[in-house]
């Protein structure tokens, strides 16, 4: 157990304990969900119930990195702020030297590199956050990337991180294809509905504790207004009731 | 036998024939003398440089600023004489250069390769200091390869020229001399052409000519350039513009090299001695015109 003191030390069985503890910190954070549709990329987060005297607008869990890229995280809020600042700077630096907008993959790779550096050099602790980085490249391809405290970055079709991530991920695995075909058929809001559904699985007290944002190719980050979120959640509740009722009917006949 | 000379015990420095302590004492005495002397003997009156001597004035090496003054500049003469040109047309980018390197009135070489390939789809031209151009463009080629490996896709001409421009800007005032054009074909945006020079100037354009013979080349180019030239016409235009520049500019000459950059990469399309053109094709053309 003495091997968890300094970050730069491996344990005898090949673990970096500080990194694994950082992943635990992520698991304690509020849930975040990302869904890559064909024409929309959606990020949804669980909001902690607002303290009465707190100004809700200052609690930001979905942050813009550039005009076309945004990030949601799970874990230590202050660590996220530092990482997002670095990423924002890198986006602008890229625009200055390359005269072009950075791809989502480039920024995810950069964030992952920063997180990895803190697992190897400087004797500092790793960032206690996993990130979902979502956006559209200049050529219109949708992207959703995840980075974690180890410093790896991977591309996902849909992912949940934070508290209860496992059950939400299972829900997404079951329902992603259906949502995708619905979007192909013309339901543009399908990914947003899927994000709301996934979050409602684990978030107590429903719509007022959910925040959803989406991106479309060529346009910037847009928040789904609170009343629309409430409406979507009501719809989902109604569908659930219907399914329950149908289930009861089947049982009775 | 004489006993060993043990006099050094008395004065340890005597066999070295100097006494450092005594030397210092002498210097101190001299300094005291100097200080006590009147000022006018210690600081002679300023003598203006001999106006007839060209090299007596220190020269500014930076065109725009006053950062670095070099008294040595006129002794190191760079090869500036050249004519290079590039323009965008419908089929891609055309680049044409001469091949003379001159050091003052001495022709150093008639076979200089003034087109430096950066990658299969990107070339740079050389004008000004040959070493500056070839070193920094090779360095740029290295950076472009790294970019291609890291990003998995070709670097854009804009980004490559920005990298070169930024590096050169850091050395501003230190005497770098380069006027180079970056010509290439971007994967998505098509043909592109940038002018980058050692002041840090970076310009995007459709038509550029750089070097001592540029003015002559511009005369031909501005008369006949159109975006909708086909490849054959473009090659002939580039060839002709360089020929006219090499004919009139003493510091340009040798062989004319013409390159075209298409979607598939760059290719040398023409290589010909300027004199053979003068006494060959263009003389025949002139004769034919005279007959009409």
């Amino acid at each position: 157990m003495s091997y968890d003191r300094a970050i730069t030390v491996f344990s005898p069985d090949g673990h970096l304990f500080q990194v694994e503890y950082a992943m635990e910190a992520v698991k304690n954070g509020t849930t975040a969900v990302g869904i890559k549709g064909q024409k929309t990329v959606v990020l949804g987060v669980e909001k902690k119930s607002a303290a009465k005297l707190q100004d809700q607008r200052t609690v930001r869990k979905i942050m813009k990195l550039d005009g076309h890229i945004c990030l949601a995280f799970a874990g230590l809020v202050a660590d996220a702020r530092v990482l997002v600042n670095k990423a924002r700077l890198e986006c602008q630096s890229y625009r200055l030297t390359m005269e072009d907008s950075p791809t989502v993959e480039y920024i995810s790779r950069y964030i992952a590199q920063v997180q990895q550096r803190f697992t190897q050099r400087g004797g500092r602790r790793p960032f206690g956050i996993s990130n979902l980085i979502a956006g559209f490249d200049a050529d219109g391809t949708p992207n959703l990337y995840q980075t974690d405290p180890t410093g790896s970055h991977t591309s996902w079709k849909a992912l949940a991180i934070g508290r209860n991530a496992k059950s939400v991920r299972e829900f997404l695995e079951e329902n992603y294809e259906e949502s995708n075909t619905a979007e192909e058929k013309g339901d543009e809001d399908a990914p947003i509905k899927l994000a709301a559904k996934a979050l409602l699985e684990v978030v107590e007290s429903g719509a007022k504790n959910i925040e959803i944002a989406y991106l479309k190719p060529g346009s910037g980050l847009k928040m789904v207004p609170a009343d629309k979120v409430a409406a979507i959640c009501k719809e989902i509740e109604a569908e659930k009731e219907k399914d329950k009722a149908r289930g009861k009917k089947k049982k009775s006949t | 036998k004489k006993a060993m000379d043990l006099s050094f015990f008395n004065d340890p420095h005597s066999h070295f024939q100097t006494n450092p302590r005594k030397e210092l004492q002498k210097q101190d005495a001299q300094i005291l003398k100097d200080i006590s002397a009147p000022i006018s003997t210690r600081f002679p009156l300023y003598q203006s440089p001999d106006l007839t001597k060209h090299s007596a004035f220190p020269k500014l090496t930076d065109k725009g600023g006053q950062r670095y003054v070099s008294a040595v500049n006129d002794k190191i003469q760079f090869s500036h004489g050249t004519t290079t040109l590039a323009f965008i047309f419908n089929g891609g980018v055309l680049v044409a250069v001469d091949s003379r390197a001159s050091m003052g009135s001495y022709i150093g070489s008639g076979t200089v390769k003034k087109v430096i390939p950066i990658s299969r789809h990107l070339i740079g031209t050389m004008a000004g200091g040959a070493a500056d151009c070839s070193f920094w463009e090779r360095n740029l080629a290295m950076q472009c390869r790294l970019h291609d490996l890291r990003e998995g896709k070709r670097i854009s001409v804009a980004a490559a020229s920005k990298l070169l421009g930024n590096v050169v800007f850091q050395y501003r005032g230190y005497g770098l001399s380069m006027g180079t054009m970056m010509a290439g074909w971007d994967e998505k945006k098509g043909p592109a052409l940038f002018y980058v020079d050692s002041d840090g100037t970076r310009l995007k354009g459709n038509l550029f000519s750089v070097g001592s013979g540029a003015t002559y080349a511009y005369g031909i180019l501005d008369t006949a350039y159109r975006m909708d030239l086909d490849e054959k016409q473009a090659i002939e235009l580039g060839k002709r513009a360089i020929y006219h520049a090499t004919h009139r500019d003493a510091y340009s000459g040798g062989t004319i090299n013409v390159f075209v950059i298409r979607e598939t990469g760059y290719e040398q399309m023409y290589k010909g001695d300027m004199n053979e053109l003068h006494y060959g094709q263009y003389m025949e053309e002139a004769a034919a015109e005279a007959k009409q």
Side-chain angles (χ1 to χ4, degrees):
Chain A
M1 272 326 255
S2 59
Y3 291 97
D4 55 7
R5 288 288 153 188
I7 176 59
T8 49
V9 177
F10 275 109
S11 72
D13 53 350
H15 291 268
L16 285 170
F17 279 119
Q18 280 301 307
V19 176
E20 291 177 16
Y21 298 162
M23 310 272 257
E24 291 297 315
V26 170
K27 284 186 202 155
N28 290 337
T30 53
T31 319
V33 134
I35 293 167
K36 178 167 81 173
Q38 278 148 18
K39 287 186 209 141
T40 321
V41 181
V42 179
L43 289 175
V45 293
E46 171 196 352
K47 272 194 303 192
K48 267 193 236 168
S49 352
K52 281 195 189 153
L53 295 171
Q54 189 183 54
D55 184 350
Q56 264 297 296
R57 288 169 303 169
T58 58
V59 181
R60 279 264 152 266
K61 293 261 175 70
I62 301 178
M63 327 242 233
K64 226 195 321 190
L65 293 184
D66 199 349
H68 61 301
I69 304 178
C70 62
L71 174 148
F73 64 91
L76 303 173
V77 179
D79 284 7
R81 197 170 47 83
V82 170
L83 206 51
V84 163
N85 278 340
K86 286 188 203 248
R88 282 173 177 162
L89 184 62
E90 180 62 21
C91 282
Q92 296 312 310
S93 174
Y94 187 96
R95 278 181 186 273
L96 180 61
T97 47
M98 309 299 280
E99 290 202 340
D100 201 3
S101 53
T103 56
V104 182
E105 195 270 331
Y106 178 85
I107 283 301
S108 316
R109 198 170 0 123
Y110 173 78
I111 292 175
Q113 267 171 13
V114 174
Q115 288 191 279
Q116 191 276 342
R117 209 177 301 147
F118 282 67
T119 69
Q120 198 172 20
R121 260 190 280 158
R124 294 174 285 189
R125 66 163 177 82
F127 288 92
I129 45 171
S130 279
N131 301 297
L132 289 170
I133 300 140
F136 281 88
D137 291 342
D139 58 2
T141 38
N143 283 291
L144 176 66
Y145 279 85
Q146 181 224 14
T147 66
D148 59 20
T150 58
S152 64
H153 71 293
T154 40
S155 175
W156 291 78
K157 291 182 192 162
L159 181 63
I161 52 176
R163 256 203 294 262
N164 307 310
K166 200 158 170 235
S167 46
V168 180
R169 212 182 301 175
E170 281 165 8
F171 177 85
L172 287 171
E173 279 174 18
E174 281 165 27
N175 292 286
Y176 178 74
E177 278 312 312
E178 195 188 314
S179 158
N180 227 16
T181 44
E183 198 193 358
E184 274 173 24
K185 286 186 186 158
D187 180 8
E188 280 192 11
D189 284 343
I192 298 176
K193 285 189 194 147
L194 181 61
K197 260 195 231 178
L199 281 170
L200 280 174
E201 291 278 309
V202 293
V203 170
E204 321 100 20
S205 63
K208 47 191 173 70
N209 281 3
I210 292 177
E211 196 173 279
I212 303 184
Y214 66 96
L215 284 152
K216 288 201 193 265
S219 81
L221 180 67
K222 289 207 175 81
M223 292 285 172
V224 178
D227 47 359
K228 194 167 179 203
V229 174
I232 292 176
C233 289
K234 262 195 193 162
E235 229 182 275
I236 295 169
E237 296 289 324
E239 273 178 32
K240 271 195 191 160
E241 294 297 315
K242 257 196 219 167
D243 288 341
K244 261 195 204 163
R246 221 179 291 149
K248 273 190 183 158
K249 265 192 185 170
K250 276 193 182 161
K251 273 191 184 167
S252 58
T253 52
Chain B
K1 266 197 187 160
K2 206 180 176 182
M4 206 170 110
D5 181 9
L6 296 172
S7 63
F8 63 87
F9 275 128
N10 300 324
D11 189 348
H13 299 286
S14 63
H15 62 291
F16 290 120
Q17 299 195 339
T18 57
N19 184 343
R21 201 186 321 123
K22 282 202 183 140
E23 292 294 309
L24 286 170
Q25 282 172 351
K26 269 193 223 160
Q27 282 176 23
D28 288 345
Q30 184 61 35
I31 288 170
L32 287 168
K33 267 195 213 161
D34 288 340
I35 290 174
S36 60
I39 281 182
S40 56
T41 57
R42 281 185 285 135
F43 296 100
L45 288 171
Y46 173 69
Q47 284 174 347
S48 37
D50 188 350
L51 289 169
T52 55
K53 256 193 172 179
H54 176 66
S55 55
F57 277 109
K59 284 216 190 92
L60 296 168
T61 57
D62 184 9
K63 281 180 240 167
Q66 305 233 312
R67 191 150 127 193
Y68 180 62
V69 172
S70 165
V72 182
N73 193 34
D74 58 331
K75 290 172 191 143
I76 303 173
Q77 282 179 343
F78 295 109
S79 319
H80 290 273
T82 194
T83 311
T84 59
L85 65 87
F87 58 83
I88 297 181
F89 65 105
N90 271 341
V93 193
L94 187 111
V95 179
V97 298
D98 76 317
S99 66
R100 176 172 292 183
S102 51
M103 286 180 267
S105 59
Y106 174 72
I107 296 178
S109 166
T111 53
V112 177
K113 291 210 174 92
K114 295 190 187 177
V115 160
I116 298 158
I118 310 269
S119 78
R120 228 179 90 217
H121 295 85
L122 188 56
I123 57 182
T125 60
M126 178 198 294
D132 291 338
C133 287
S134 70
F135 176 82
W136 285 113
E137 289 182 19
R138 291 191 78 215
N139 182 280
L140 177 66
M142 181 268 295
Q143 287 181 315
C144 291
R145 280 194 295 273
L146 271 176
H147 178 276
D148 289 2
L149 284 167
R150 284 198 198 114
E151 308 301 321
K153 60 175 191 229
R154 270 164 30 204
I155 191 170
S156 64
V157 184
S161 61
K162 196 74 173 259
L163 288 174
L164 182 65
N166 285 344
V167 161
V168 146
F169 184 76
Q170 284 187 309
Y171 287 90
R172 192 177 148 100
Y174 283 79
L176 279 185
S177 165
M178 22 185 297
T180 172
M181 295 179 286
M182 303 254 88
W185 190 294
D186 282 339
E187 243 169 320
K188 287 186 184 146
K189 293 187 186 160
L193 177 62
F194 284 83
Y195 164 77
V196 178
D197 77 13
S198 46
D199 301 332
T201 306
R202 181 174 160 270
L203 302 168
K204 185 167 171 26
N206 285 339
L207 171 72
F208 286 111
S209 180
V210 182
S212 56
T215 44
Y216 308 109
Y218 273 130
I220 305 299
L221 286 171
D222 289 339
T223 311
Y225 170 71
R226 282 180 350 254
M227 184 60 93
D228 55 358
L229 292 167
D230 69 29
E231 198 176 289
K232 234 182 160 187
Q233 293 171 319
I235 293 169
E236 183 57 34
L237 176 62
K239 195 173 109 195
R240 204 169 280 259
I242 296 283
Y243 158 76
H244 280 277
T246 55
H247 181 59
R248 280 294 176 183
D249 180 27
Y251 299 109
S252 305
T255 48
I256 301 173
N257 291 302
V258 180
F259 290 74
V260 163
I261 308 173
R262 304 181 197 94
E263 199 173 350
T264 48
Y266 76 85
E267 192 189 337
Q268 178 154 19
M269 300 306 292
Y270 177 79
K271 182 190 173 85
D273 189 298
M274 166 252 162
N275 285 311
E276 280 165 29
L277 269 181
H278 179 76
Y279 291 108
Q281 179 189 355
Y282 292 147
M283 190 154 273
E284 288 166 13
E285 274 178 19
E289 260 195 63
K291 271 193 192 162
Q292 289 169 5

